[in-house]
Amino acid sequence: MAPSAMSRWTKSLSDAQPVAYWLDDPGRPHPEPALTGPETCDLLVVGGGYSGLWTALLAKERDPGRDVVLLEGREAGWAASGRNGGFCAASLTHGLSNGLTRWPDEIHQLEELGARNLDEIEAAVARHGIDCDFERTGEIDVATEPYQARELREWYEEIERRGLAEGIEFLDADAVRQQVDSPTFQAGLHDRRGVAILNPAKLVWGLKAACVRLGVRVYEHTPALDLKPYGAGMVVRTPYGSVRARRVALGTNIFPNLVKRVRAFTVPVYDYALMTEPLTDDQLKEIGWQGRQGLGDSANQFHYFRLSADNRILWGGYDAIYPYGGRVRAEYDDRPETYAKLAEHFFTCFPQLEGVRFTHAWGGAIDTCSRFSAFFGTAHQGKVAYAAGFTGLGVGATRFGADVMLDLLAGESTERTELEMVRRKPLPFPPEPFAWTGIALTKWSLARADAHDGRRNLWLKTMDRLGLGFDS
């Protein structure tokens, strides 16, 4: 990289605050008080992100008389739920390709359930008056290399044959650049209805407010320390008290699960993002981004990008970092070398925007599992349920996971609980140093494939055969 180019790109980061744009909000609500003393309830929910909040809210909507308590170790939405890109997808399987590969016999049902789930999220946002900038914009997967354009067309033809292309349109280079104008775009697949964009932190805060209005007792700055059987139910100990509950739902995702055997199924992968200053009307015209669609490119190491309500561009992805030992630490949330790389890639995509500055740069851990979509289960004779492993596509799928957990805790056989996706677990990750070595080799191989027209080496082909095909 030429020094002058490096200077130009890094200069755009000189004012960037190392905090998630969404959480840097003067309207951020005050936390609820911590739990002090003993509590009892019908249902205890552990975790104040999307998984926990949807579970508490749906539990009260299913049965308004149910006594529900929610514990959050810090503040609701402080982690992945409040700092993600704000893409709310209908897909429950981390994309149609992943779902078709893993559950071909269920894919039509999974797609229908996912579309219904997204509709229900939109309805809940309206019903509870949640001001989270929800927009049903759709998303375009763009090709930036000739081989990616060929693969996108072939994929579109395949899903058309399988009857899975409703609402999806193939765009050639001219058509995609009419939607958003980047000199790097060579083709695209436009999903017109299957994705919404929103402000992720405002969704969290709105869900919390809705839970409180319905009578959920929410305790923040109250970490759950351990989980044990207690009589006919369970008890969770906290720093200043405890909660006895008939049933427990665990929505802790990347943080250590209170059911220890579940921990081997997830690893933390760190993702990073930038947010620009608001674009002017002239700058928006330069890139022609009129439809406000979310976008993502088709490389293995991909970028995702979208407009905020005030016309900033969020630009994230590409560098997926796994720390040795799988530890979740605050020091990993800030990575200047990745921010510089992302800035370079941003101005390569949109050279028309040279001179735009970034106001925020941040990162955080994603709960990744080996099949890249959520898994579910129960423990303690069905008195505890969990959902985890959303792998960066949890803004929408966590609501589905909440329904699954409530079904499992009720002991009900439903359309959801009968799914193979719900009944089976992914493969666990191996212990160190094998996990770090395997992930590092996979990441190197993916970067090499991107540089060689998508050709997958022996390692990636082996991972594919084992059902461990990994993307960033």
Side-chain angles (χ1 to χ4, degrees):
M1 184 185 301
S4 60
M6 171 61 85
S7 173
R8 185 168 72 248
W9 290 319
T10 54
K11 185 177 180 181
S12 67
L13 293 162
S14 61
D15 298 323
Q17 298 298 307
V19 61
Y21 166 74
W22 315 111
L23 296 173
D24 187 19
D25 186 337
R28 182 174 182 162
H30 294 292
E32 297 296 312
L35 173 65
T36 55
E39 265 279 21
T40 61
C41 60
D42 297 322
L43 173 66
L44 171 62
V45 179
V46 180
Y50 293 137
S51 283
L53 290 166
W54 278 120
T55 303
L57 183 64
L58 293 174
K60 291 296 284 187
E61 290 185 334
R62 288 188 183 195
D63 179 3
R66 181 161 21 193
D67 189 22
V68 180
V69 167
L70 184 145
L71 302 180
E72 163 54 41
R74 290 181 57 175
E75 295 181 24
W78 74 274
S81 293
R83 64 189 177 204
N84 63 79
F87 286 69
C88 185
S91 178
L92 305 175
T93 60
H94 207 275
L96 180 55
S97 177
N98 190 52
L100 186 58
T101 298
R102 298 181 189 282
W103 303 287
D105 296 336
E106 291 182 346
I107 191 62
H108 286 274
Q109 184 182 11
L110 287 166
E111 289 290 291
E112 181 184 342
L113 286 167
R116 192 188 313 164
N117 182 64
L118 182 56
D119 289 342
E120 288 168 344
I121 291 172
E122 185 172 15
V125 165
R127 182 168 65 254
H128 293 287
I130 299 174
D131 179 14
C132 63
D133 304 326
F134 187 99
E135 300 178 78
R136 199 74 170 254
T137 58
E139 182 178 14
I140 304 175
D141 291 332
V142 295
T144 58
E145 299 287 345
Y147 80 89
Q148 295 172 9
R150 291 193 301 272
E151 289 177 351
L152 276 186
R153 182 178 287 279
E154 291 167 0
W155 172 242
Y156 178 68
E157 291 169 353
E158 180 178 350
I159 62 175
E160 265 200 319
R161 286 194 302 271
R162 293 176 177 269
L164 293 165
E166 183 178 356
I168 299 174
E169 178 185 4
F170 178 80
L171 306 174
D172 62 17
D174 289 339
V176 72
R177 292 187 64 176
Q178 286 174 10
Q179 299 289 329
V180 184
D181 189 12
S182 166
T184 67
F185 292 175
Q186 302 196 20
L189 277 188
H190 190 180
D191 181 349
R192 297 185 178 277
R193 289 287 298 168
V195 177
I197 60 170
L198 50 77
N199 181 315
K202 286 185 175 181
L203 176 59
V204 171
W205 299 332
L207 289 172
K208 184 178 82 167
C211 286
V212 171
R213 283 195 301 271
L214 292 182
V216 177
R217 298 194 299 288
V218 175
Y219 296 100
E220 295 180 87
H221 295 289
T222 305
L225 302 179
D226 56 40
L227 169 71
K228 294 180 179 178
Y230 188 95
M234 304 296 298
V235 63
V236 167
R237 184 173 57 89
T238 71
Y240 305 121
S242 62
V243 184
R244 291 169 51 191
R246 294 177 58 248
R247 297 289 184 268
V248 178
L250 302 176
T252 51
N253 292 291
I254 195 51
F255 300 101
N257 199 289
L258 293 179
V259 177
K260 291 184 180 180
R261 69 170 183 268
V262 177
R263 296 179 185 179
F265 290 103
T266 61
V267 295
V269 173
Y270 279 77
D271 181 53
Y272 299 89
L274 306 177
M275 183 69 93
T276 72
E277 63 191 344
L279 301 189
T280 66
D281 290 343
D282 288 342
Q283 287 169 330
L284 278 172
K285 287 178 184 175
E286 280 290 317
I287 57 176
W289 200 341
Q290 303 302 315
R292 299 184 56 79
Q293 309 93 332
L295 291 104
D297 64 51
S298 301
N300 291 307
Q301 293 184 280
F302 63 91
H303 305 88
Y304 54 87
F305 39 117
R306 45 86 43 113
L307 290 169
S308 66
D310 59 349
N311 290 328
R312 301 166 184 264
I313 296 178
L314 178 143
W315 180 266
Y318 190 79
D319 251 353
I321 305 299
Y322 171 72
Y324 184 87
R327 299 178 182 90
V328 179
R329 291 181 175 173
E331 65 215 59
Y332 300 146
D333 291 349
D334 191 37
R335 199 166 193 269
E337 59 266 45
T338 291
Y339 303 149
K341 192 181 299 182
L342 286 173
E344 174 195 349
H345 296 171
F346 176 85
F347 291 113
T348 300
C349 182
F350 293 121
Q352 313 97 305
L353 298 180
E354 184 164 347
V356 166
R357 301 179 77 82
F358 297 101
T359 61
H360 296 76
W362 71 94
I366 293 170
D367 62 321
T368 301
C369 74
S370 61
R371 72 184 193 189
F372 320 119
S373 53
F375 63 91
F376 315 90
T378 61
H380 295 282
Q381 294 78 49
K383 290 179 284 191
V384 176
Y386 55 84
F390 291 93
T391 316
L393 210 68
V395 180
T398 45
R399 186 195 175 280
F400 174 81
D403 263 330
V404 170
M405 284 195 285
L406 291 172
D407 290 349
L408 293 172
L409 289 173
E412 296 176 352
S413 177
T414 67
E415 183 181 12
R416 289 179 288 263
T417 61
E418 290 301 309
L419 291 166
E420 181 185 355
M421 175 193 175
V422 170
R423 291 185 290 106
R424 295 182 182 274
K425 302 265 191 314
L427 289 173
F429 288 93
E432 298 292 13
F434 304 106
W436 187 89
T437 302
I439 292 171
L441 181 55
T442 299
K443 187 180 176 184
W444 176 83
S445 298
L446 289 169
R448 191 172 186 276
D450 285 339
H452 293 83
D453 291 340
R455 292 191 293 273
R456 298 174 78 80
N457 63 15
L458 180 60
W459 175 261
L460 292 180
K461 290 176 180 178
T462 302
M463 293 296 99
D464 291 340
R465 284 194 295 271
L466 294 173
L468 294 170
F470 190 89
D471 67 36
S472 65

